[in-house]
Amino acid sequence: MDAATRTGTANAAQNGRAIFECRDVRVFYGEKQALFDVGMDIMEHRVTAFIGPSGCGKSTFLRCLNRMNDIIDGCRVEGSIRLHGMDVYSREVDPVHLRARVGMVFQKPNPFPKSIYDNVAYGPRIHGLARDRTDLEEIVHTSLEKAGLLKEVKDRLDSPGTGLSGGQQQRLCIARAIAVSPDIILMDEPCSALDPIATAHIEELIDGLSENYTIVIVTHNMQQAARVSQRTAFFHIGELVEYSDTEEIFTSPSDERTQGYITGRFG
Amino acid sequence: MTSTIMTQPTAAETRLGWESAEVRRRIRRRHAANRRLRLYGIAAICTAIGLLATLVVSLVLLGSPAFVQTKLDMPVLLNAQHVDPAQPARGNYRAIVRSSFLSLFPEGAAMSPRDQRALFRILSNGAPLAVRDHVVANPGDLGKTVTLSVPLSDPFDQLNKGKIRRDLPENRRTVTDRQLAWFDHLDAQGLISMPFNWAMFFNSDSRFPELAGMAGALVGSFYALMVCFLISFPVGIAAAIYLEEFAPRNRWTDVIEVNVNNLAAVPSIVFGLLGLAVFLNFFNMPRSAPLVGGMVLSLMTLPTIIIVTRAALKAVPPSIREAALGVGASKHQVTLHHVLPLAMPGILTGTIIGMAQALGETAPLLLIGMNAFIVEPPGGILEPATALPTQIFIWADSPERGFAARTAGGILVLLGFLVMMNMVAVWLRKRFERRW
Ligand SMILES: Nc1ncnc2c1ncn2[C@@H]1O[C@H](COP(=O)(O)OP(=O)(O)OP(=O)(O)O)[C@@H](O)[C@H]1O
Ligand SMILES: [Mg+2]
């Protein structure tokens, strides 16, 4: 076990139960290795932030967690990633089912070109989560509510989701992810396409959601990581350099590369 | 600091010298090059438009006479002795027409049989049929005299349309002086008219140009296109979806891809040969049938549809797929619920254009015998038929004068359909502009 993995597990005790246990994760794009022996435990009902310079493998690692890498030609994942103790890359795990339990919000808001209602209802529909129409309506409403969007769109659920503003679209995408009641929500730079006000809105939302969901967020914004997360992982050129409580990372980082990055000397 | 720079020119300024003659010359040259390029473009477009205009104008000039037909409004005595009222379809209508026609001429009864034969050449062979159709529809008219509009034969149709010059010596035209006089006699009585030629659309092929129409070809083309669509649309889309969404990238799929692209470039006559060898000779399918025609055409449209469908699928942004996968949709759900509907306008546009190509395709249909002489519209996809382009081909091959106009008229009809199909494609594209 390497140093990073040890840090991860050592902190586990104070941080509650690990929902994801990752060990020696290596990812290759064709011949090129993008991640080197990453090991970390992701804690239940916490917000975990991934930071690091561009191209260091944050998105790559995030996409391993719900096997979104499967759709990339030539992408290969080694090592073990356990969700509730079950290896997500084992034969028994159906990636389709996995992605319903590990939701994802993308960098660019990507609502379906359908109505707001259908955007949120799509997941529950295909998984048969609603018993009937009223049940489905209920799911849609509570999801929009949790995503803090219901007030704004209550009267126009039939209008297209693509007609909303960028920030609203991103919250719609969050509502869509919530609607299938996942355990975990992965967010890959969810605010990078948004203005500061919309960003603040989403950050608030993440805070609220962390009561019921485990959230992993990739961000380039150090303040954002500090504001919303309890745990922070710093990646550098495919390696997990440091992973511990957010406060610790930002006040007394143990690795000088981390220190260099958060003080803005490189990255 | 700025003043020093202004008073002491830097090396760059002396080198460039924006006001120097050299730079001005260069700018002038660049402008001239721009103008030349624009002129070349305009000239090229003018040439293309000119050629197109020549084509259309000449077709319209040649083909428009086919859309009117010289007719005689003839009082016909429906003499009951020639027709058995129980079987009106089998009467001697030739006799009825002839006696009525003779009575239009004062000297009629006194004419020699030879003259009478020359006289009857004015009327089309279709005249008795027109009378029969009237009687079958109105059996009560038997014994009465009714005025019916019957077609004139091709030479007199041409004469009336001014295509036969009266000042030529008699032995150099198809109409004799006496026939001319008879025709003028009819014309003087106001019995000659030239209404719109519905026969062009409601008759099938005929040996006589004045009776020949495109009904059979229209129906044949419709059946063939329907078969072609039913085969190539689902197969093409399924193949494209597999290749684009499911197939792994490896040597095999590369080979398939290259071959699909090559297939689209294969000359159509090759598909005709294939149809002849495989469908007709090996599987013993019926000759001249729209079924076989449609199958052969589908071989041609299939690669087109596969290619446009793949392009349309590729154009759907990956973010939509990721979004659907992200909420746990499986691959087929992603494809059927999101990607395919978004790609549909593009697919339909491409399909219509492929169908339009198939509609105009001639060579493969010739090889499977869809250029037969067939006087009735096909009753189904297994009956012998012609198609629009092969009908045009048959007419172009016929010596009678009237067929020249029919050929051009047929081309106009075909072009009309092609323009219509392309307009639908454009409309579809406009209507479903991408909205993501
Ligand atoms: N589809 C791919 N094919 C090949 N290489 C890839 C692919 N996606 C990512 N990579 C490579 O993997 C490495 C990590 O990429 P990744 O997208 O995970 O970085 P990141 O940390 O998310 O960067 P950013 O902050 O810019 O989003 C990079 O060097 C990148 O070039
Ligand atoms: Mg990234």
Side-chain angles (χ1 to χ4, degrees), chain B residues 251-303:
Chain B
R251 184 183 299 241
W252 279 113
T253 45
D254 284 349
V255 168
I256 292 175
E257 174 153 8
V258 168
N259 277 314
V260 168
N261 291 337
N262 284 343
L263 220 53
V266 168
S268 55
I269 195 156
V270 175
F271 291 117
L273 269 178
L274 183 83
L276 178 64
V278 177
F279 299 146
L280 295 190
N281 293 347
F282 189 75
F283 287 111
N284 280 323
M285 292 173 131
R287 270 187 87 79
S288 311
L291 173 67
V292 182
M295 286 165 72
V296 170
L297 292 177
S298 73
L299 292 177
M300 286 185 43
T301 41
L302 197 55

Side-chain angles (χ1 to χ4, degrees), chain A residues 29 32 34 52-61 72 107 188-189 218 220:
Chain A
Y29 290 112
K32 183 170 164 281
S54 191
C56 65
K58 307 178 294 291
S59 300
T60 300
F61 185 61
I72 298 175
Q107 178 167 2
D188 195 347
E189 304 183 40
V218 173
H220 275 284

Side-chain angles (χ1 to χ4, degrees), chain A residues 4 9 54-55 71 91 119 131 158 206 220 237 242 250-251:
Chain A
T9 34
S54 191
I71 59 170
R91 275 181 176 281
N119 259 283
R131 281 186 310 277
D158 291 331
I206 291 172
H220 275 284
I237 328 181
E242 196 167 347
F250 283 98
T251 52

Side-chain angles (χ1 to χ4, degrees), chain B residues 28-40:
Chain B
R28 262 202 311 281
R29 272 210 305 276
R30 261 171 25 198
H31 281 309
N34 275 354
R35 264 196 306 278
R36 269 202 308 280
L37 189 59
R38 218 173 47 209
L39 274 179
Y40 294 153

Side-chain angles (χ1 to χ4, degrees), chain A residues 63 66 68 71 73 95-97 99-100 102-104 106 108-114 122-123 126-127 162 176-177 180, chain B residues 247-249 317-338 341-342 435-436:
Chain A
R63 293 164 65 92
N66 67 345
M68 212 56 164
I71 59 170
D73 273 332
V96 168
H97 188 211
R99 290 190 202 119
V102 185
M104 192 155 196
F106 299 84
K108 224 178 101 226
N110 55 355
F112 300 130
K114 297 174 188 272
Y122 180 68
I126 59 171
H127 296 295
T162 40
R176 181 176 66 191
V180 290
Chain B
R249 287 267 158 279
S319 64
I320 298 287
R321 291 167 224 261
E322 285 187 337
L325 286 171
V327 292
S330 65
K331 197 124 190 183
H332 85 274
Q333 286 169 327
V334 174
T335 307
L336 294 184
H337 297 170
H338 299 284
L342 288 175
R435 292 167 307 197
W436 50 74

